[in-house]
Amino acid sequence: MASVGQPPSLKRRDAPVSREGDQLIITPLGAGNEVGRSCVYMSYKGKTILFDCGIHPAYSGMAALPYFDEIDPSAIDVLLITHFHLDHAASLPYFLEKTTFKGRVFMTHATKAIYKLLLTDYVKVSKVSVEDMLFDEQDINRSMDKIEVLDFHQTVEVNGIKFWCYTAGHVLGAAMFMVDIAGVRVLYTGDYSREEDRHLRAAELPQFSPDICIIESTYGVQLHQPRNIREKRFTDVIHSTISQGGRVLIPAFALGRAQELLLILDEYWSNHPEFHNIPIYYASPLAKKCMAVYQTYILSMNERIRNQFANSNPFKFKHISPLNSIDDFSDVGPSVVMASPGGLQSGLSRQLFDIWCSDKKNACVIPGYVVEGTLAKTIISEPKEVTLMNGLTAPLNMQVHYISFSAHADYAQTSTFLKELMPPNIILVHGESHEMGRLKTKLMTELADCNTKIITPKNCQSVEMYFNSEKMAKTIGRLAEKTPEVGETVSGILVKKGFTYQIMAPDDLHIFSQLSTANITQRITVPYSGAFGVIKYRLEQIYESVESSTDEESGVPTLRVHDRVTLKQDSEKHISMHWTSDPISDMVSDSVVALVLNINREVPKVVVESEAIKSEEESGKKAEKVIHALLVSLFGDVKLGGNGKVVINVDGNVAHLDKQSGDVESENEGLKERVKTAFMRIQRAVKPIPLSAP
Amino acid sequence: MGTSVQVTPLSGVFNENPLSYLVSIDGFNFLIDCGWNDHFDPSLLQPLSKVASTIDAVLLSHPDTLHLGALPYAMKQLGLSAPVFSTEPVYRLGLLTMYDQYLSRRQVSEFDLFTLDDIDSAFQSVTRLTYSQNYHLSGEGIVVAPHVAGHLLGGTVWKITKDGEDVIYAVDYNRRKEKHLNGTVLESFVRPAVLITDAYNALHNQPPRQQREMFQDAISKTLRAGGNVLLPVDSAGRVLELLLILEDYWAEHSLNYPIYFLTYVSSSTIDYVKSFLEWMGDSITKSFETSRDNAFLLKHVTLLINKSELDNAPDGPKLVLASMASLEAGFSHDIFVEWASDVKNLVLFTERGQFGTLARMLQADPPPKAVKVTMSRRVPLVGEELIAYEEEQTRLKKEEALKASLVKEEESKASLGPDNNLSGDPMVIDANNANASADVVEPHGGRYRDILIDGFVPPSTSVAPMFPFYENNSEWDDFGEVINPDDYIIKDEDMDQAAMHIGGDDGKLDEGSASLILDAKPSKVVSNELTVQVKCLLIFIDYEGRADGRSIKTILSHVAPLKLVLVHGSAEATEHLKQHCLKHVCPHVYTPQIEETIDVTSDLCAYKVQLSEKLMSNVLFKKLGDYEIAWVDAEVGKTENGMLSLLPISTPAPPHKSVLVGDLKMADLKPFLSSKGIQVEFAGGALRCGEYVTIRKVGPAGQKGGGSGTQQIVIEGPLCEDYYKIRAYLYSQFYLL
């Protein structure tokens, strides 16, 4: 069912119609066998969705973007952003403003509020040349108008794509998206954590099992230590370093986990009065700005924090002071500094690292996942020397501790989550390839008896699946008064809205849908000064049914042709015709008009025409002649045989055609079929059209 | 056949009584709204008491007394024990409204219908949903979803879906977008099987938009003349909109008259409202997203929870928004009595008073010259009364202790206490308890202790389990320190810095209510009747935030339900709307009486078929707005699992009458034709195209639900080229099937 392969191109959208409509394609444009620039493309039944739109923190400029050139941005219906982290949301302004994308973008309220602050900060901080800038502040502001918000659990429908989101843990406002297209459900977890911490709820377990689960695999098969142990290690390291007169550097993402660590530190300081003279700095003006957001969207946080709000604001720290830049920082004696960025690529955390790294009294606590290719990742393996920002090398003497507080699921959480959800297909993204591989193997053994497929596509590698979608329709209204037996026919209007089908009688259309039907009555006046009887006479020659009567109101004579078109003698000079529009009536009316105009022109010839009545026999003969002539023109050698049969000779092959029944006898099958079809068509052309309609 | 749907009104039909309706869907009983009025008359709940125990789920639509006031009483006294569903703001603001009601009542009478604990336990069983969250009721195949109603924060239009058929309950919705709320989304639902809606405003038409100027003029005139303005308001509903309007007006004209918002729960209300931005209108969310500017950081309004604070306020003209819009009791009542006799003052009503209340009397035209009111006060017992009271208490304690020990014995016999069953998930109860105790504040904790020492045993109907830890939680632990003066100082700073403080209630409430009534000190109510000369100015300006008669009709004809049930509204309004709907909306309009069960099961026939691949590959859809349509002729077959399926037809399709699909608007046709170079003008209801040809729409227009839904269009003209050209353009407006 599922296969991995390189499709020719994802841009081809309109070509597949029926069969291929059931093909579901998932392609990671980023975060496939890597961490960073999350972006997953999905398409099913002509609907396309993009999950997340991040950048790779280890690269800059265009290289940091997901592989957008693999897709046609204008074809995307919906773009869903799980949370505000740069690797999930930072290429959004670029995608919205610099590509042909014209779909709709959704994220949660808290994500949107922080997104703006975070990206504005990102633009300011990132020191790249103007050409390399992916977007500027203007782009961010413009993108804000296009982003729509949704609340957790709120179901939104766009073009027949239904989606809603669940709490994901991880950071404030983080969501897992469930998408439902024509009954096929796909869950995209984004980054999630099943562990409740100081301020966030744990990720929810969706009440429906999805058909496909696209899940992060950041921590692979690793297991987290219990939270209290991690917290203890963290505070112990800080405690001992401070006691020895050292400085502690905590490089962290400005938002998200930082808030959690600050809550821990503030609480620890409150419980240890002896530290009250040791400053804790939080070097992020951005985080300060975001506090209002943290204070407003408490509905997205857990009960614990909501109860604390009742007394005082837990995010109003008593022992932590903000630090705007390194110039304001007087480096005297022990201190604890939390600074961004978390990867030590540049900025304040790097500046402090360069100053402190060669003193062995100092410590650096790396509190979360670090991306491959960043300095933070390098120093975890404790090299002897590091390269400073100014290009020089320095010995790395400071202690490096890696205590993960990052709210990503570990193996235990992932496997329980998957076991409870039991999705038949699992796609792993957002993980280094070896971690991902190990996770895959381990999950395979654990879920061996469940027939689960686990796929780990690389970037731009498409996963194709087929879903046998049964299209069900509901027959309603008058049409459904009786349930039909097998073999009977059902005729009606098939109405498709989104992915639901209904069949109904035309009269019910306005009841069950917003559509309405119309009748167009046409009334046309034709100048005619002859006798009304002449028209009747002429019409009878052409049409089988011509009824004459008199109009009830005005008493003028009327004619009704085939129960469709009514002619009325309005005055000496005019007749009027009226009928209800439909193709056949229009045709009948046209012929009547032509006839009336003809009479006008040919008044003197009336008598002449009257001679031309042909008996049925004569007209039959005439038809025969025509048929013969047409057959000759088609086959050439056509002779009349006995018993009303025609003998056709084509290149030595002989066919006998029975003109009465249309049967053909011939030894050559090809000729036989051709003659048969030809005769049938001629027959249809020559014989009058049946006018009987319901 | 369709899903069976029955509707039984329990209160609030053909009058303006509180709303409460029983809707039964395939035997599953929903109680939609559970309202009471400001009189708290138990006889109104008579019909509810008969069916309370059979109810399977309760849905709440708005956070005011009329929509949820009876919930605590019904839970405690009437045996209602179903899960309750509402949006987060309805839950939270509803809870605060009930506190305010209770505290106001308690102040002036021996109010014993329910207690603060009853309110807490009633609201404990509320499941909170977000807008358009499809909540699947397990095992029933029923999905309930709240949708935006406007009117009040969190206000809900409920959609109940079973087997693809929608039952929609929409009362008190507002179509207009307001300062803090979006308009209702009711219009996005089309052709629901059943729509239950109110006729409350059917006869009212909103005055034109100058009402805003009138409102502002009236206020500023009185204040400038040195008078005071009283706005009797609800506790946590429409008042939010009024606060924003006043804030804006004050800022715009840089007025510096003080505005006071006085309810027992005002500070917690605003604290919570600040964290409900997700639920508010677009403009508010937007301003927060871009500038992190919370609209409910009120700059000109002082929040008061205690009347003495108002009395201590500096003299001079002021504007007070006080709770209890009905003036029956509470702050607004007291202030009215004080201010009514001064001609300089203004009492400004922003909503129609409930039937039979003081507010309603004053809104009469002409207003009464004088009204009789009862002034009541709660005073502590002294002297002999106190001694008598204490003796009585000791006696009661003994009796209760005796009773309790008996009950306990019995309970211990039954191995499983009912409480355990009720609580279900201990975590949930725990969390809510903690929450609730934070909400209801200290005095309440104090009372608990007394009760428990008395050996009080909760009645078996009570949902609230009273575990010992509950008491500890609220009394001795963290919360014991809540009444720490330092905390308040910080809080005041919070206010000053306009920082947001969200979450629980803050100390002010504790202090206030503690000093008011709920301390354990024995007290009694002293009443005296007096006649108040109404000399002050009385003005009514409609700020109810409900759709008016005209927009109700527009919405109804747009929604065009297959069956329509009208409730809530005076007999006159109900009858008026019924006649209107019969003519213009749908032929099935029901106006049931109280306790009259009507069956609105849809008489819709339907069966399901599978559309085979073969058939679908031959169908060519035409796109029309959201819809795609096609004509199908198919033969019925069966699939392996016995489903009916449609296969392509083997014989040539029988000819069918052609259908023109499309909605022609003459107004749209005109510019279209003129864009094609034809001279068009409207003349006598017809569209004259060119010199001779006319296009007309004939027959009944407007009604969509029943009768002939087909538009009749007539095109007339003499035989000429133009005629055929125009006809072709006309055809291009339709799809031919």
Side-chain angles (χ1 to χ4, degrees), chain A residues 194 205 411-421 446:
Chain A
R194 295 271 285 153
L205 188 74
Y411 179 72
Q413 294 176 23
T414 305
S415 67
T416 5
F417 186 66
L418 289 175
K419 267 189 230 159
E420 282 178 65
L421 270 186
E446 195 142 337

Side-chain angles (χ1 to χ4, degrees), chain B residues 10-84:
Chain B
L10 303 175
S11 165
V13 283
F14 288 106
N15 54 36
E16 290 167 16
N17 280 342
L19 301 94
S20 184
Y21 311 100
L22 179 70
V23 176
S24 166
I25 292 175
D26 274 350
F28 190 88
N29 294 330
F30 284 100
L31 175 67
I32 309 190
D33 281 339
C34 190
W36 217 346
N37 59 12
D38 283 358
H39 292 294
F40 292 106
D41 176 5
S43 69
L44 281 174
L45 304 182
Q46 199 56 37
L48 174 60
S49 66
K50 290 183 204 157
V51 295
S53 55
T54 65
I55 288 183
D56 299 304
V58 184
L59 307 179
L60 302 176
S61 65
H62 289 282
D64 61 5
T65 321
L66 276 180
H67 293 91
L68 52 71
L71 194 64
Y73 182 78
M75 287 277 191
K76 191 185 178 201
Q77 308 286 359
L78 306 180
L80 181 69
S81 59
V84 185

Side-chain angles (χ1 to χ4, degrees), chain A residues 152 155 295 309 311 471 473 475 487-488 490-492 494 496 510-511 516 519 521-523 525 581-582 586, chain B residues 130 132 191 289 491 502 607 609-611 628 630 632-634 636 643 658 662 711 713 715 719 723 727 731:
Chain A
F152 292 101
T155 311
Q295 288 161 359
F309 267 109
N311 305 329
K471 292 192 185 77
T475 313
E488 287 182 50
V490 173
S491 298
L494 182 62
K496 179 184 175 194
H510 67 278
I511 300 179
S516 44
N519 276 336
T521 311
Q522 306 194 35
R523 196 168 293 147
T525 350
S581 287
D582 78 65
D586 284 0
Chain B
T130 53
S132 28
R191 305 262 182 285
E289 276 160 5
K491 242 155 244 158
I502 295 156
Y607 61 87
V609 288
Q610 194 195 51
L611 300 167
E628 289 175 63
V632 283
D633 288 299
V636 179
M643 277 291 302
S658 60
Q711 311 166 68
I713 294 155
I715 170 166
L719 182 69
Y723 179 86
R727 189 179 77 176
Y731 279 177

Side-chain angles (χ1 to χ4, degrees), chain B residues 451-691:
Chain B
I451 289 164
L452 284 160
I453 289 169
D454 288 354
F456 175 75
V457 174
S460 56
T461 51
S462 163
V463 187
M466 289 194 187
F467 297 118
F469 64 77
Y470 185 74
E471 170 217 354
N472 286 341
N473 254 355
S474 54
E475 180 60 23
W476 302 112
D477 286 357
D478 312 71
F479 294 105
E481 292 181 3
V482 171
I483 315 190
N484 178 343
D486 292 350
D487 284 356
Y488 302 128
I489 290 161
I490 287 166
K491 242 155 244 158
D492 288 343
E493 277 169 9
D494 282 1
M495 288 294 182
D496 296 341
Q497 293 163 0
M500 284 180 303
H501 166 249
I502 295 156
D505 305 12
D506 66 345
K508 283 191 171 184
L509 176 61
D510 309 7
E511 220 181 331
S513 30
S515 67
L516 281 171
I517 30 165
L518 288 171
D519 49 335
K521 268 187 211 154
S523 58
K524 64 170 183 180
V525 173
V526 185
S527 314
N528 57 320
E529 277 210 0
L530 45 109
T531 309
V532 177
Q533 299 297 320
V534 186
K535 290 186 183 145
C536 66
L537 191 59
L538 298 171
I539 298 184
F540 170 67
I541 293 172
D542 179 6
Y543 265 105
E544 281 178 2
R546 288 185 175 96
D548 66 352
R550 196 176 330 135
S551 56
I552 285 179
K553 286 167 194 164
T554 327
I555 289 184
L556 287 184
S557 61
H558 186 87
V559 173
L562 300 182
K563 297 200 171 177
L564 178 65
V565 182
L566 294 178
V567 295
H568 200 240
S570 63
E572 211 187 348
T574 312
E575 191 53 36
H576 170 82
L577 193 59
K578 181 180 181 178
Q579 292 312 325
H580 173 87
C581 292
L582 278 175
K583 224 187 271 166
H584 300 284
V585 178
C586 76
H588 307 283
V589 183
Y590 302 84
T591 49
Q593 298 287 346
I594 285 196
E595 292 197 278
E596 179 196 350
T597 302
I598 50 154
D599 190 353
V600 281
T601 305
S602 73
D603 36 20
L604 193 70
C605 308
Y607 61 87
K608 281 195 166 180
V609 288
Q610 194 195 51
L611 300 167
S612 65
E613 271 306 316
K614 274 187 207 158
L615 180 75
M616 292 311 285
S617 58
N618 287 331
V619 173
L620 276 182
F621 281 105
K622 288 177 179 170
K623 207 161 163 50
L624 208 76
D626 286 346
Y627 295 93
E628 289 175 63
I629 50 171
W631 183 275
V632 283
D633 288 299
E635 199 168 286
V636 179
K638 262 207 165 71
T639 58
E640 304 95 64
N641 42 24
M643 277 291 302
L644 288 178
S645 77
L646 294 183
L647 303 164
I649 202 155
S650 48
T651 53
H656 63 84
K657 197 165 173 276
S658 60
V659 191
L660 288 167
V661 183
D663 195 358
L664 184 79
K665 298 255 179 344
M666 297 302 260
D668 298 339
L669 185 65
K670 191 184 162 198
F672 174 75
L673 286 177
S674 52
S675 76
K676 299 286 175 196
I678 295 167
Q679 271 199 328
V680 232
E681 56 177 343
F682 277 110
L687 197 61
R688 282 196 60 156
C689 318
E691 269 177 81

Side-chain angles (χ1 to χ4, degrees), chain A residues 150-181:
Chain A
L150 83 172
D151 213 340
F152 292 101
H153 302 123
Q154 182 184 343
T155 311
V156 181
E157 192 170 340
V158 176
N159 280 345
I161 307 168
K162 267 189 263 179
F163 56 91
W164 58 94
C165 62
Y166 299 98
T167 319
H170 195 58
V171 291
L172 180 68
M176 306 191 282
F177 279 99
M178 181 79 97
V179 173
D180 181 326
I181 301 177

